[in-house]
Amino acid sequence: MTTEIRRAAERYRGGDAAAGITSWHAFSFGPHYDPDNLRFGALIACNEEQLAPGAGFDEHPHSHTEIVTWVVEGELTHRDSTGHETLVRPGDLQHLSAADGVRHVERNDTGAPLTFVQMWLTPLRPGGTPRYELVRGVTDSTPYAVPEAGARLHVRRLAAGERTKVPDTAYVYIHVVRGEVRLDEDRLGPGDAARITDAKGLEVVGVTAAELLLWEMQAG
């Protein structure tokens, strides 16, 4: 078993400040090319996006990518070429399976700031028909499966002193959304991440009240 800790300060800064977009990338992304940080398991992106009121990403294409979005604060407006138009709020989970090709728009159409974490995974097989799903009010007890990528996402909200088991599996990626936790001897705060290979017998402990996104993945 190996564990690699990546701190929030190590993420790549992106976005377009003049357009009200600030991005923080955990993996090699766009102009920030790092051949040693292309992916972990099926995960190829974990971006924290901050959109000012009225800001957003105009229509753009995706293909052969599983896109999972978790809103931290605010309200995300989503529109795509398959006809879906939805509002995604904190506690909701959005999954867009780009398959053989889809276009979408992501905007902050409110008067308040918007922050969301967006994660991209590589599918086990390319192609197929695009699929969209929005799950309202995700609970800690029910993991969200992304079978296209051989992955499951666990949302964990911990009280101070509360423990949660890390799945024993080939690849585990933990992203701290808010609060502070302990993983073995390491403390992780907002934006920090742990990349665990061949996880076995691990627990995460809340140092403060905390929220985590935890990926369980079979394929690398």
Side-chain angles (χ1 to χ4, degrees):
M1 181 177 70
T2 59
T3 301
E4 180 185 6
I5 304 299
R6 296 271 185 144
R7 300 296 179 185
E10 299 178 70
R11 292 183 297 167
Y12 309 112
R13 176 78 177 264
D16 182 351
I21 302 171
T22 301
S23 305
W24 297 96
H25 305 294
F27 293 88
S28 182
F29 199 94
H32 302 286
Y33 178 68
D34 181 351
D36 297 321
N37 189 27
L38 297 177
R39 66 184 293 166
F40 180 77
L43 200 61
I44 57 172
C46 182
N47 305 334
E48 181 182 295
E49 307 287 359
Q50 299 171 353
L51 303 184
F57 300 99
D58 293 332
E59 187 175 82
H60 57 281
H62 289 281
S63 61
H64 314 304
T65 310
E66 305 303 315
I67 304 169
V68 177
T69 304
W70 181 257
V71 173
V72 179
E73 65 173 348
E75 184 177 88
L76 172 66
T77 297
H78 165 92
R79 293 191 297 274
D80 65 50
S81 55
T82 66
H84 295 96
E85 182 167 350
T86 56
L87 299 177
V88 190
R89 303 179 179 93
D92 299 340
L93 186 146
Q94 176 181 264
H95 175 201
L96 177 62
S97 182
D100 61 3
V102 70
R103 302 181 67 85
H104 73 154
V105 174
E106 299 162 297
R107 296 199 55 81
N108 178 7
D109 289 331
T110 76
L114 166 65
T115 300
F116 61 94
V117 179
Q118 189 168 92
M119 298 151 285
W120 298 4
L121 298 94
T122 300
L124 299 173
R125 290 170 292 279
T129 302
R131 181 171 70 87
Y132 180 83
E133 185 173 19
L134 178 63
V135 181
R136 298 286 190 193
V138 172
T139 65
D140 289 31
S141 58
T142 306
Y144 180 78
V146 184
E148 296 90 343
R152 296 202 301 173
L153 177 63
H154 302 259
V155 177
R156 291 288 184 265
R157 303 172 181 92
L158 301 177
E162 187 177 1
R163 299 173 177 269
T164 188
K165 188 179 184 302
V166 174
D168 294 342
T169 193
Y171 300 96
V172 174
Y173 186 89
I174 301 173
H175 175 84
V176 181
V177 176
R178 62 181 104 238
E180 186 177 354
V181 300
R182 190 176 73 250
L183 177 67
D184 276 349
E185 301 304 313
D186 293 300
R187 285 195 173 201
L188 287 76
D192 291 346
R195 306 178 185 189
I196 307 165
T197 306
D198 297 325
K200 189 176 179 66
L202 283 177
E203 288 185 323
V204 178
V205 183
V207 176
T208 67
E211 182 176 274
L212 314 172
L213 300 175
L214 188 157
W215 281 103
E216 172 187 359
M217 299 172 284
Q218 300 296 325

